[in-house]
Each structure stands twice: as structure tokens, then as C-alpha cells.
Amino acid sequence: MTLKELAQALGLSPTTVSRALNGFPEVSEETRKKVRAAAEAYGYRPNMRARSLATGRAMAIGHVIPIQSGHEMVNPVFADFIAGAGEVYSGAGYDMLISIVPDDRQQQAYEDFRTKGSVDGIIVHAPRLGDKRIQLINDVGIPFVVHGRASDSGEAYSWVDMNNFRAFERATKLLLDLGHTRIGLVNGLEDMDFAIRRRAGVEAALRAAGLKVNDACFFSGEMTEHYGHRAMTEMLALPEPPTAVLTSSMIPGIGIRRAIRESGREIGRDISVIIHDDDLSYLPNGREDPLFTATRSSVREAGRAAATMLLDIIATGDHDPRHVLLEADLILGRSTGPVRAMATT
Amino acid sequence: MTLKELAQALGLSPTTVSRALNGFPEVSEETRKKVRAAAEAYGYRPNMRARSLATGRAMAIGHVIPIQSGHEMVNPVFADFIAGAGEVYSGAGYDMLISIVPDDRQQQAYEDFRTKGSVDGIIVHAPRLGDKRIQLINDVGIPFVVHGRASDSGEAYSWVDMNNFRAFERATKLLLDLGHTRIGLVNGLEDMDFAIRRRAGVEAALRAAGLKVNDACFFSGEMTEHYGHRAMTEMLALPEPPTAVLTSSMIPGIGIRRAIRESGREIGRDISVIIHDDDLSYLPNGREDPLFTATRSSVREAGRAAATMLLDIIATGDHDPRHVLLEADLILGRSTGPVRAMATT
DNA sequence: CGCGTTTCCCAAAGCGGTTTGGATAACGAT
DNA sequence: ATCGTTATCCAAACCGCTTTGGGAAACGCG
């Protein structure tokens, strides 16, 4: 059923039908009602392609998910982020276009989005150190919002981020307050922006307490269970192993827990662990009885915030950079405790 | 830069330029080269909306991800599945549209996809028992492929699925061969099709061995770590706890491992555990040294298969139902071993 | 040279909407 | 009764591309 057919069936012109449905004032209330009823009855829905060709608005937002060539890893927070964003889009009548591309074809993906006219705006995921994408999209000239920040990008741009620095600084302070002085960090890949900020937060807290940073206890890698296990095992083999460990996600946290248990120690008693919890729906840390002490910030909420921001930028046409910095909650679980005198083997 | 402008700049008609770029034979090689060069130089890219309005093909595939109202859980395999599908799409010049909708607005989502003309085909995720979606989309009349099957849907339709029955039957047989006779199953929600088939596989193997199914050792729930932990803890409290457990995913498997350890037992020695491993990029079970003995089947591969099938259905226009049944590998890890005489507390 | 084929290119008609610029009728005021 | 408004509706242009149906030149052949 097309507009024209609907118009014909009603004995009206396409113009009038279009206006009636889109709420223009040039049409009488009476006919508007008739048109609405007929549209409903015939199940008429405007063809989006035709409409957006005519209006120039695609009514769609593009998400570009980078895949790191080599590791082939999809960011695990991705599913929840777009679930949050998706809520906002569908509420506003927008579609969500997703493009999963290897690192080296990023630029292509952004340009395609714009020149092919398939989206009105873009969400950029997982910015890295030295990320050129932001400059790229700025050049392309299409509204966008970054999930996270690219520390060293000179450009001004809009972003939604979690306060990684503060979250990890606070978590470290908690450990310091519990008496821990040998603290390890099992971080994400350190060319990712969030990992850099988290490390900085830990280091700041340590320095503030007059402690020096022990490089042997700082790890950087892709956040898998095996990685957490390996890092923890290595640390436990040190002459003076850390008594507390922070890690960037629940998944390596599980590996850390396994390594601790395998060494005959007990988590929360012999060794304290704090994870960052993205509050993923399929990997809940637990509400009333959290597995891990954690800094928690819902990545789904971040998705909602980023989508809302982007739609607003598009609607208002106001491209001044905006920022939302989400603070993480510090959740006390069973994986932390005061330092024990004889934690070493 | 539009086609018309490009044509003008070249001193040619839009017709010729369009044909030159789309490889029609009615244009001389010489002009084709000139046109290509100019298009390259000006950075011309056809507007997809206009093109698909003209051709009637949207060059996009829609994925409808259901969110179970109430739990708000996004299926964790989703990210890897669409990563696989995305590869295929981008290779074929297709876009991927994602719609994340609560259960009760599914129908709307499918109809919108078609009537709004935004996609040429649909991938249906996570079919359930008594799922009405398949009939729904068949009625809507748009090519689609289901990831998984809906056991009780009378309709014929195309699907890509893993052989859940056989995978769990084989895994159960492995446990039986190891001498286990008290076997538990920590399954997914049993209104999901895959969970039903897995249970059936386990039951078939048990019956074939002349064993009866113990309902106290069969669990059904949303696959979280906590769920695995709770189920295992319950089983261990039984007068005769199982000596082996199968579970539907790595995540509850981790909870199961935790419960086993908390009870002072050792996984693989006191209690054997087999998980199903979707080979998720962010939750690897390990290649050389797998954490768990597992039935493994890459969900990313399933995504590729489903996308390939759908594109082919669209290209050939041949709507005869097709099926791909992926077999799972049985991977031996360290979580299984022969039954021990005194496994009970 | 005449005539039927090719070869190469173009004008114009869509695709299904929106939007501009009237046209017609009804209305109120003079 | 006349004229300017206002309220409704419509014809036609347009968005940017594809595609149909020629048309003109070049070619092949008797």
C-alpha cells in the first residue's frame, strides 16, 4: 500500500494524505480523521526509503564496532551498550545500523555511512590511544558521539564516558584503607583509552599514599579469563606477591579468582580483588550479594545516554561538543578484606 | 556529489554514468574508464536511499533481538553471532539493521521492517517454544532465516542451528563411558528451543544406558554465574549428589566450578563438568588447554552461515526452506575424569 | 551506394514519498 | 453584490538513482 493508492482509495490527493498523516495544519480535522482511519484500516506505513530521500533525513544511527585485526575479539560490553541505545532509538523512531569492521577499514566505514546517506549520525566505540577516527569523522562532517574518550585527540567532540580514573582511584584507596600496600592491576589493552585512565587512577592513589608503583604487578592485555589467571599466577610467584589486585572486568576477575584458589589461598581473605563491573545483563555480579567488590557503572545506561545525546544533537543541529561523565558506584562484595599479616607463601 | 553533477562534469548523461559505474555493457570501455576515474577523483558514492528506492532492494538485513521482558537480558551469544553475519554482509555490500525489542512488540518490529521497506530479509534470533514469530513473518512475506529452530511450529522455514540434541547426547555418553551414572543438567530456560533439545539429548543418552532421569538434578534457568552456583550447591546438598554435570554455557559453568570448590571438592576429580562452548571471542574456553571439557560450536560461524543462506535466498529468489545443522566438537578439557568410588560427602 | 546491424549514448519515466505554489470554495466585511 | 481572507485541497516539481525505449552514428555487407 503506497501513499498514492491510499489517496486514491480515499478520493483525495497524495498531498492531502501526506499532510493529514504528518499533522500539517492545512487539512481539516474531519479529513484528517478519515485519512488516519483509512491508513490504519489498510495498514499503510510510509516507505522509509522514499521518505528519507524526500526529507533528506535517514532516520537511522550508525554504530561502528571495530574488530581488532588479529584477535578477532568483539568487545563484550557491546551487546549491552546497544541494548541501551536501541531503547532510545526505537522510542524516537530511529533505526540502528551496525557495521562491524576490521581496524584497517574503519575510515571507509565512516565515509560510506555519510556518502551513502544511510545514517544521520554515528556512535563511535572503543576509542584508542592515537585514534584517528575522531578527526576523520569530524572531517566527514556528520554528527557523532564517542563512547569513551581519545585522550590525545586534539579535536573537540561529544562523548559519553565513565569516570575511569576516579573509579579506579577510589577502588585503590579502598584497598589502601584496608591496609594493602602491594597492589596489582590486571588491566585491559593499554592502547585502549579506558585502560590508560584506569591505570592513571591507580597510580595516582598509590602515589598519594606515598607508595611506589611496582611494574611487575601491572598487566595489560585482552580481558579474558585465561589472561586474568595467567597474570595472577605470575604475581603469586613473585617473592613479594601483591595482597590486593584490581582488574578491569569481571571476566579476568574470574580467572584471578581461579588462580588464587589454585594457589591454596582464599579470595577476600588472603588476597583482595576489586573488579570493574559493567553491569552486563548476562554476567551479573549480583545485587544483594555481589561476588566481587566492584566499581560498577552500567554500560547500558551509557548506551542510553550516548543515544539520547546524539539524537538531541541531530534534532537541535547544535554541534557544540557535549559531555557526560558517569560516575561508578563502589560496591562492597566478598572479594575484599583487610590485609593479613602473613599473606606471603 | 550526485550522479547528475558527475554526469554534468563529464559532459555525459546520468544514464550513461549510471551504466558505466554499474557495469552495463551498453557503454564503451573508454568512457567507462573515464567515468570511473572521475567518480574516484570526485569521491562520488551513490546515495543508497535513492538507489534502493529505484531498485526496490534495500541492501540491508534486519536482525530482531528479543529482550525478555522482566529479565532484560541480552543473549550473550548475540555479539559474536552478528560479528559473523556482519562479515558476510559487508562482503556483499549489505547493511545490518538491528532492532532490539521487548517480547510484546516483536510483531510490530517485523511488520515495520517490511512495510517501511528498510530491509530485504530478516534473521530471527532465539526462537522459543510456541514461537509465533515464524508464522508471523511467513505471513508478512519477507525472506528470513532463523538462528535455531522452533520445535513446534508447523510452518516450513529456513534455519541454521547447532545440533543441540546430538552434542548433549554425545557429552552425556562421554560421562557414561567415564563411569558416571548420576548426571545433572544445568540447562537454559526451557522455553527456549535449544534448551529443550539439549535436555532431550541428555535424556536419550541416559535412557539408552538404562538409567532413569532424576528430576532433582535437572535445572532450568537464565544462564548466569549465580544460577550455575545455586544449582550446583543444591545438587551437592542432595543425599546422593551427581558425580557429573552438564551445563548449557560457560557462564553457569563458572558458577558450578565455584560451588564445587566451595564444597571442598575438586572439579574433574570429584565432580566432572561438561559445558557447551559457543566459542565466544570474549570468553574463550581455551584452545590448547581448555578450562572445561566442552561441546564446542562457533556461534560466529553460525552467524556467517545464516547470513550466507539469507543472502542467497534473496539473490536467487528461491524460497524453498533450507537448513544447516552444525555439529559440535567434543573438546576434552580438565573438568572431566573417571568417576571416583567415594564421591559422596 | 543502400540498408540492416551494432555500438554508444541519451531523454524521460518511474520508485514513493514531501513540499512548493497555486486553485477553488466558503466566509466575512463593506 | 463585490472583494479580500481564510480554509481546504490539489497538481506538479523534486529527492537521487535506475531503467525503458529510442536515436544517431558507425559498421558490415551485397
Side-chain angles (χ1 to χ4, degrees):
Chain A
M1 166 69 61
T2 71
L3 218 201
K4 207 182 287 180
E5 289 165 2
L6 217 205
Q8 206 141 26
L10 277 160
L12 287 171
S13 79
T15 311
T16 307
V17 175
S18 169
R19 286 187 159 150
L21 292 175
N22 292 318
F24 283 78
E26 296 95 332
V27 56
S28 74
E29 267 319 307
E30 192 187 359
T31 40
R32 190 191 304 281
K33 267 192 194 113
K34 254 188 280 183
V35 172
R36 284 225 179 98
E40 180 74 25
Y42 287 108
Y44 167 77
R45 314 216 115 224
N47 180 310
M48 278 312 284
R49 298 195 300 258
R51 170 183 286 195
S52 54
L53 181 58
T55 58
R57 295 179 311 147
M59 293 307 282
I61 302 296
H63 285 238
V64 178
I65 318 286
I67 288 197
Q68 291 189 40
S69 33
H71 335 238
E72 295 283 303
M73 173 147 160
V74 190
N75 193 328
V77 307
F78 162 65
D80 270 62
F81 184 90
I82 66 162
E87 285 176 30
V88 176
Y89 297 149
S90 66
Y94 273 77
D95 284 332
M96 173 161 57
L97 232 72
I98 294 196
S99 186
I100 302 187
V101 291
D103 273 349
D104 50 321
R105 288 204 281 115
Q106 294 271 319
Q107 170 155 10
Q108 189 63 29
Y110 291 111
E111 285 176 356
D112 282 4
F113 265 158
R114 199 194 63 82
T115 53
K116 297 199 313 188
S118 29
V119 302
D120 298 321
I122 293 179
I123 299 266
V124 179
H125 290 266
R128 311 261 211 85
L129 191 64
D131 208 315
K132 297 194 198 88
R133 287 181 292 172
I134 288 159
Q135 194 191 329
L136 211 68
I137 313 173
N138 256 338
D139 292 350
V140 166
I142 183 172
F144 70 98
V145 167
V146 182
H147 178 210
R149 283 170 281 177
S151 319
D152 57 347
S153 160
E155 316 264 324
Y157 57 93
S158 295
W159 47 258
V160 169
D161 199 5
M162 200 260 294
N163 196 339
N164 287 295
F165 181 94
R166 198 129 100 85
F168 274 64
E169 188 188 33
R170 278 178 69 195
T172 307
K173 276 191 182 141
L174 171 64
L175 294 174
L176 291 168
D177 289 346
L178 288 167
H180 297 276
T181 52
R182 295 199 306 276
I183 295 176
L185 172 65
V186 179
N187 207 353
L189 280 170
E190 285 202 348
D191 61 339
M192 303 297 284
D193 184 80
F194 74 88
I196 296 167
R197 292 179 194 272
R198 288 175 184 183
R199 175 174 188 143
V202 173
E203 286 176 343
L206 289 180
R207 266 198 307 273
L211 292 171
K212 65 175 192 297
V213 177
N214 183 354
D215 278 338
C217 295
F218 276 55
F219 292 78
S220 161
E222 212 163 64
M223 298 190 282
T224 64
E225 207 266 6
H226 275 85
Y227 162 59
H229 181 261
R230 185 159 23 83
M232 191 72 230
T233 305
E234 265 184 49
M235 282 191 274
L236 289 173
L238 292 173
E240 284 201 328
T243 61
V245 172
L246 296 133
T247 188
S248 261
S249 131
M250 181 131 180
I251 297 174
I254 289 167
I256 288 171
R257 186 177 68 192
R258 180 162 63 101
I260 290 173
R261 286 204 178 131
E262 282 175 6
S263 80
R265 293 175 177 82
E266 194 180 315
I267 191 169
R269 198 191 52 162
D270 304 313
I271 300 211
S272 289
V273 175
I274 300 184
I275 66 160
H276 177 71
D277 175 14
D278 289 298
D279 208 14
L280 304 181
S281 60
Y282 55 89
L283 208 63
N285 186 32
R287 288 279 156 184
E288 309 80 18
D289 179 24
L291 279 179
F292 291 98
T293 296
T295 55
R296 177 165 67 206
S297 173
S298 164
V299 75
R300 191 186 285 228
E301 183 54 40
R304 276 190 281 259
T308 305
M309 181 185 285
L310 183 54
L311 292 188
D312 196 63
I313 289 175
I314 291 168
T316 62
D318 173 11
H319 286 217
D320 290 349
R322 317 176 182 198
H323 313 300
V324 166
L325 191 56
L326 301 165
E327 292 298 336
D329 295 326
L330 194 48
I331 305 294
L332 290 182
R334 293 187 292 177
S335 65
T336 44
V339 69
R340 302 198 359 163
M342 300 282 95
T344 46
T345 323
Chain B
M1 164 72 57
T2 71
L3 218 204
K4 206 183 288 180
E5 290 167 0
L6 217 206
Q8 205 141 28
L10 277 160
L12 288 171
S13 78
T15 311
T16 307
V17 175
S18 169
R19 288 188 158 150
L21 292 174
N22 292 318
F24 284 77
E26 295 95 333
V27 56
S28 74
E29 267 318 307
E30 195 188 358
T31 39
R32 191 191 302 281
K33 265 191 197 118
K34 255 188 281 185
V35 172
R36 284 226 179 98
E40 180 74 24
Y42 288 108
Y44 166 77
R45 314 215 117 225
N47 180 311
M48 277 312 285
R49 297 195 302 258
R51 169 183 289 197
S52 54
L53 182 57
T55 58
R57 294 178 311 148
M59 294 305 283
I61 302 296
H63 286 239
V64 178
I65 318 286
I67 288 197
Q68 292 190 38
S69 33
H71 336 237
E72 295 283 303
M73 172 147 160
V74 189
N75 192 327
V77 307
F78 162 65
D80 269 64
F81 184 90
I82 66 162
E87 283 176 32
V88 176
Y89 297 148
S90 66
Y94 273 77
D95 284 332
M96 174 162 57
L97 232 70
I98 294 196
S99 187
I100 302 186
V101 291
D103 273 348
D104 50 321
R105 287 204 283 115
Q106 294 270 321
Q107 170 155 10
Q108 189 63 28
Y110 291 111
E111 285 176 357
D112 281 4
F113 264 158
R114 201 195 62 81
T115 53
K116 298 199 312 188
S118 29
V119 303
D120 298 320
I122 294 180
I123 299 266
V124 178
H125 290 266
R128 311 259 210 88
L129 192 65
D131 208 315
K132 297 194 199 87
R133 288 182 292 172
I134 288 159
Q135 194 192 329
L136 209 69
I137 313 174
N138 255 338
D139 292 350
V140 166
I142 183 172
F144 70 99
V145 167
V146 182
H147 178 211
R149 284 170 281 176
S151 319
D152 58 346
S153 160
E155 316 264 325
Y157 58 94
S158 296
W159 48 258
V160 169
D161 199 5
M162 199 260 293
N163 196 340
N164 286 295
F165 181 94
R166 196 127 102 86
F168 274 64
E169 187 188 32
R170 278 180 69 197
T172 306
K173 277 191 182 143
L174 172 64
L175 293 174
L176 291 167
D177 288 346
L178 288 168
H180 297 276
T181 52
R182 295 200 304 278
I183 294 176
L185 171 65
V186 180
N187 207 354
L189 280 169
E190 285 202 347
D191 61 340
M192 301 299 284
D193 184 80
F194 74 88
I196 296 167
R197 291 177 193 275
R198 289 176 184 183
R199 175 174 188 144
V202 173
E203 287 176 344
L206 289 180
R207 266 197 307 274
L211 291 170
K212 65 174 194 295
V213 175
N214 183 354
D215 278 339
C217 294
F218 276 54
F219 292 78
S220 162
E222 211 163 63
M223 299 189 282
T224 64
E225 207 268 2
H226 274 87
Y227 161 59
H229 181 262
R230 186 158 23 84
M232 191 72 231
T233 305
E234 265 184 49
M235 283 190 274
L236 289 174
L238 292 173
E240 284 200 328
T243 61
V245 172
L246 295 133
T247 188
S248 261
S249 131
M250 181 133 181
I251 298 175
I254 290 168
I256 288 171
R257 185 177 69 193
R258 180 162 63 99
I260 291 173
R261 286 207 176 125
E262 281 174 6
S263 79
R265 293 176 178 82
E266 193 179 315
I267 189 170
R269 199 193 49 164
D270 303 313
I271 299 213
S272 288
V273 174
I274 300 185
I275 65 161
H276 177 71
D277 176 13
D278 289 299
D279 207 14
L280 303 181
S281 61
Y282 56 89
L283 208 62
N285 185 32
R287 287 281 156 182
E288 309 80 18
D289 180 22
L291 279 181
F292 291 98
T293 295
T295 55
R296 177 166 66 208
S297 174
S298 164
V299 75
R300 191 186 287 228
E301 184 54 40
R304 275 190 282 259
T308 305
M309 180 185 285
L310 183 54
L311 292 188
D312 196 63
I313 289 174
I314 292 169
T316 63
D318 173 12
H319 287 217
D320 290 348
R322 317 173 183 201
H323 314 299
V324 166
L325 191 57
L326 301 165
E327 292 298 336
D329 295 326
L330 194 49
I331 304 294
L332 291 181
R334 293 187 290 177
S335 65
T336 44
V339 69
R340 299 196 7 162
M342 299 281 96
T344 45
T345 321

